[in-house]
């Protein structure tokens, strides 16, 4: 700072003694707190004699606030108690050392870092975030300002899940979810103070990324033989962490080695291996829309009046996904019975299915009771399938063209037709495999099923945790049970369920935790 131009002006306020004010641009104020009244009086007088304007009372015109043995936070706290509680000042917050040095020099010395009070609240005040602890209390859109951090934590979560360490996995997922809902990029660890769900381990990973650009643990994991192999193997539809780990311990790390190993694969895994590349390529929204049309056509063909709803990631507004999820119901209770098998045979007849496995509805409210463990799968009639989606150029003609083209091959032979690779075009086959999940729910459970199948997985987990821990209720994709009142709370819409749970409604696009 360039020393201020000295002007000889008489300072009207400072000088009972009529000292000459040499630095009228500066208005100093000495904080009595910890300095003591007598020392303050002595220093003030000294300053005035040297030509400084030293005010007795704090005001907005103060440019330099000087204190002794106070931290920046303490001074801010004092300021907060002044000026109508606003504590907003543009003044420099300085240590007394700046003052004494200026006295010695006979002019205001340049302000150096050592003179400035260490302030944590000043800048961080606008940058610190406040976040409720359950993901279902927050609004998490797809706009993530901290992808570098959340990718790092998600990878560690995935690795923990691959190692069947569920607790650790959830801890990393929760930490990542907190960062996903922050309105800004995190630049500094101090901004994370007071945030929930950030354990020691997650914080150390974040610190590593902020300071070094990457986390050594994440890098080591990413490059480990085990992680790489498990990632490849669980990329096969029908292969979970347990199976992949068994294979890895048998020395299998690649698809080649798996094929050569002579391991027996079940029908799902065989289909997963056959369509590995397609299934591991993201599904686009455009593809999801085409599949919606196909499923809609199937459902209406076998049961007029039945309704389908796109759920999962696409309902949350995602532009890509690993599959396409649908919920099917009929407005008349009971009419949905037997619907799935009809839809599946229609799709099969039309040659749309490369693979499907249907599980019967096994939910019986009276028999099952409410107290199901939170992580349990629901028991709707469901169909996990692999669709054969033809790669048409003209979007509008898609459905009819696919139909006629698929019908060229005999029904129920769709899989052998596929294995032949049938109608190959230059540049590959004219269709691609897409994972599709179909779920049928009776209308009486539709609200719960819709909420349960929209996700995200963490959002769902947090809803159930909230229900159990905060409300003594049990939430599933079938029902909501009030544990203390021993009764079911009926609802037809998601809004009603949020309301029973004492939560503000969170729309699907804000459930991307
Ligand atoms: N789900 C479920 N039971 C299963 C599988 C999934 O209840 N056995 C629910 C999940 O809780 C989630 C929804 O179905 O809410 C969708 O799951 P999934 O397709 O795996 O995830 P998405 O969020 O759709 O992600 P992606 O876009 O990658 O498919
Ligand atoms: Mn999905
Ligand atoms: Mn799914």
């Amino acid at each position: 700072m360039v020393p201020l131009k000295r002007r000889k002006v008489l300072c009207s306020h400072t000088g009972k003694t009529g000292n000459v004010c040499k630095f009228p641009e500066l208005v100093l104020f000495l904080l009595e707190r910890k300095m003591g009244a007598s020392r303050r009086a002595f220093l003030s007088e000294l300053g005035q004699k040297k030509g400084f304007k030293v005010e007795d009372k704090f005001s907005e015109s103060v440019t330099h606030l000087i204190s002794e043995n106070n931290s920046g936070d303490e001074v801010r706290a004092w300021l907060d108690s002044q000026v109508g509680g606003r504590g907003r000042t543009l003044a420099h917050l300085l240590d007394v050392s700046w003052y004494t040095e200026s006295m010695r020099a006979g002019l205001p010395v340049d302000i150096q870092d050592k003179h400035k009070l260490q302030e944590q609240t000043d800048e961080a005040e606008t940058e610190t975030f406040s976040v409720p602890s359950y993901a279902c209390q927050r609004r998490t859109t797809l706009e993530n300002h901290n992808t570098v951090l959340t990718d790092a934590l998600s990878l560690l979560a995935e690795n923990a899940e691959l190692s069947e360490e569920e607790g650790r996995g959830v801890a990393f997922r929760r930490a990542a979810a907190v960062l996903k809902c922050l309105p800004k990029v995190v630049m500094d660890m101090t901004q994370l103070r007071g945030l929930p769900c950030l354990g020691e381990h997650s914080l150390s990973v974040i610190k590593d990324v902020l300071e070094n650009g990457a986390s050594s643990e994440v890098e080591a994991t990413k490059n480990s033989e085990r992680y790489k192999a498990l990632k490849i193997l669980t990329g096969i539809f029908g292969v979970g962490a347990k199976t992949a780990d068994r294979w890895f311990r048998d020395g299998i790390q690649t698809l080649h080695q798996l094929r050569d190993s002579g391991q027996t694969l079940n029908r799902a895994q065989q289909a997963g291996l056959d369509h590995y590349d397609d299934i591991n390529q993201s599904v686009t929204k455009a593809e999801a829309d085409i599949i919606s049309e196909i499923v809609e056509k199937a459902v209406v063909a076998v049961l007029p009046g039945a309704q389908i709803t796109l759920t999962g990631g696409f309902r949350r507004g995602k532009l890509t996904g690993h599959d396409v999820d649908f919920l099917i119901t009929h407005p008349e209770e009971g009419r949905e019975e037997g619907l799935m098998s009809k839809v599946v045979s229609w799709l099969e007849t039309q040659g749309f299915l490369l693979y499907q496995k249907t599980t019967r509805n096994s939910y019986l409210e009276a028999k099952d009771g409410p107290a199901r463990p939170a992580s349990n799968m629901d028991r709707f009639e469901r169909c996990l399938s692999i669709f054969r989606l033809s790669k048409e150029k003209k979007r509008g003609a898609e459905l009819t063209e696919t139909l006629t083209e698929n019908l060229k091959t005999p029904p129920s032979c769709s899989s052998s037709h596929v294995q032949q690779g049938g109608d190959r075009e230059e540049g590959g086959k004219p269709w691609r495999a897409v994972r599709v999940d179909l779920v049928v729910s009776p209308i009486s459970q539709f609200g719960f099923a819709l909420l349960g199948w929209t996700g995200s997985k963490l959002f769902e987990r947090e809803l159930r945790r909230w229900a159990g821990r905060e409300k003594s209720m049990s939430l599933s994709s079938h029902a909501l049970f009030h544990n203390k009142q021993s009764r079911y709370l009926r609802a037809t819409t998601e809004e009603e369920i949020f309301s029973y749970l004492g939560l503000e409604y969170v729309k699907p696009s804000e459930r991307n935790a």
Side-chain angles (χ1 to χ4, degrees), residues 153 156-158 160-161 165-177 197 202 375 457-458 461-462 465:
L153 293 168
L156 295 181
E158 187 188 23
E161 286 155 6
E165 295 175 62
E166 203 193 337
R168 260 158 62 83
V170 175
F172 285 128
R173 296 262 175 230
R174 287 211 186 103
C197 309
S202 293
S375 63
K457 287 203 180 75
L458 185 76
R461 183 185 268 274
E462 292 279 277
R465 190 166 70 99

Side-chain angles (χ1 to χ4, degrees), residues 150-315:
T150 57
D151 285 353
L153 293 168
S154 300
L155 188 133
L156 295 181
E158 187 188 23
N159 187 55
E161 286 155 6
L162 287 172
S163 309
E164 290 182 90
E165 295 175 62
E166 203 193 337
R168 260 158 62 83
V170 175
F172 285 128
R173 296 262 175 230
R174 287 211 186 103
V178 164
L179 300 182
K180 277 184 197 171
C181 77
L182 299 182
K184 276 190 183 160
V185 184
V186 172
M187 306 291 285
D188 192 290
M189 291 300 285
T190 59
Q191 292 171 270
L192 302 178
R193 268 182 297 159
L195 287 182
C197 309
L198 298 180
E200 214 176 293
H201 196 159
S202 293
L203 284 172
S204 80
V205 172
I206 296 169
K207 188 162 186 276
D208 213 5
V209 175
L210 290 180
E211 287 174 3
N212 309 312
S215 145
S216 49
E217 187 182 357
V218 170
E219 294 308 301
T221 304
K222 217 190 282 180
N223 295 319
S224 75
E225 292 302 315
R226 186 183 142 80
Y227 174 80
K228 285 192 283 190
L230 294 184
K231 190 95 175 109
I232 290 170
L233 297 175
T234 54
I236 304 170
F237 169 64
V239 177
K242 245 196 196 82
T243 307
D245 185 62
R246 182 159 46 81
W247 289 345
F248 178 72
R249 282 186 282 113
D250 284 349
I252 299 170
Q253 303 198 18
T254 65
L255 300 185
H256 269 294
Q257 288 169 344
L258 176 63
R259 284 196 181 98
D260 295 345
S261 71
Q263 290 278 350
T264 40
L265 303 181
N266 63 30
R267 210 166 56 84
Q269 294 164 346
Q270 189 56 57
L273 196 54
D274 290 343
H275 305 294
Y276 188 86
D277 290 339
D278 277 359
I279 290 176
N280 282 282
Q281 187 194 323
S282 298
V283 186
T284 63
K285 180 66 169 66
E287 288 169 327
D289 288 340
I290 296 169
I291 290 170
S292 294
E293 280 179 42
I294 296 169
V295 175
E296 170 109 50
K297 205 164 171 83
V299 167
V300 169
V302 301
L303 181 63
Q307 295 161 359
I308 74 156
T309 309
L310 184 63
T311 59
F314 288 112
R315 181 162 185 251

Side-chain angles (χ1 to χ4, degrees), residues 311-314 316 318 321-325 437:
T311 59
F314 288 112
R316 301 196 307 275
K318 281 177 64 182
H322 94 284
D323 68 357
V324 194
D325 307 283
D437 286 341

Side-chain angles (χ1 to χ4, degrees), residues 23 26 28-30 35 39-40 42-44 46-48 50 52 54 64-69 94-111 114-115:
F23 319 104
L26 270 64
L28 312 191
F29 174 77
L30 298 172
M35 185 183 280
R39 179 160 161 81
R40 178 178 186 245
F42 164 77
L43 289 174
S44 295
L46 181 68
Q48 284 157 357
K50 300 256 180 191
F52 288 83
V54 186
H64 294 59
L65 191 161
I66 291 121
S67 73
E68 193 165 33
N69 296 326
L94 302 174
D95 183 68
V96 74
S97 60
W98 175 84
Y99 190 79
T100 49
E101 280 176 44
S102 299
M103 295 303 108
R104 223 172 290 136
L107 67 146
V109 296
D110 289 353
I111 296 173
K114 62 173 182 180
H115 300 128

Side-chain angles (χ1 to χ4, degrees), residues 328-452:
I328 307 169
T329 190
H330 191 284
E332 262 175 74
E333 184 83 0
R335 291 291 300 281
E336 80 292 343
E337 278 173 34
L339 178 56
M340 186 69 91
S341 59
K342 288 181 197 154
V343 170
V344 168
S345 36
W346 188 94
L347 290 167
E348 216 145 39
T349 309
Q350 306 286 337
F352 281 117
L353 294 181
L354 297 168
Y355 165 90
Q356 68 84 18
K357 186 167 196 282
T358 306
T359 320
R360 288 193 8 246
N361 180 2
S362 59
Y363 179 80
L364 245 183
E365 185 178 287
K367 213 174 98 212
D368 278 308
R372 307 204 50 78
S375 63
N376 246 23
M377 307 240 294
D378 65 65
R379 268 98 46 80
F380 286 117
E381 186 170 32
R382 76 175 69 190
C383 173
L384 306 188
S385 74
I386 303 176
F387 263 53
R388 177 190 193 279
L389 183 67
S390 74
K391 296 178 184 165
E392 295 299 331
K393 310 101 217 161
K394 288 179 283 246
R395 168 77 182 77
E398 172 69 27
L399 190 50
T400 38
E401 283 188 32
T402 309
L403 279 173
T404 42
E405 184 217 315
N406 281 354
L407 280 170
K408 285 177 208 157
T409 57
S412 78
C413 301
S414 49
S415 62
S416 58
H417 153 75
V418 164
Q419 247 102 58
Q420 291 157 14
D423 23 16
R424 280 193 178 273
E425 271 182 350
E426 40 168 324
K429 53 188 175 37
W431 54 270
R432 95 170 191 90
V434 177
R435 274 272 300 111
V436 175
D437 286 341
L438 306 174
V439 179
V440 171
S441 141
I443 191 74
S444 60
Q445 297 168 24
F446 182 77
F448 297 100
L450 183 60
L451 180 58

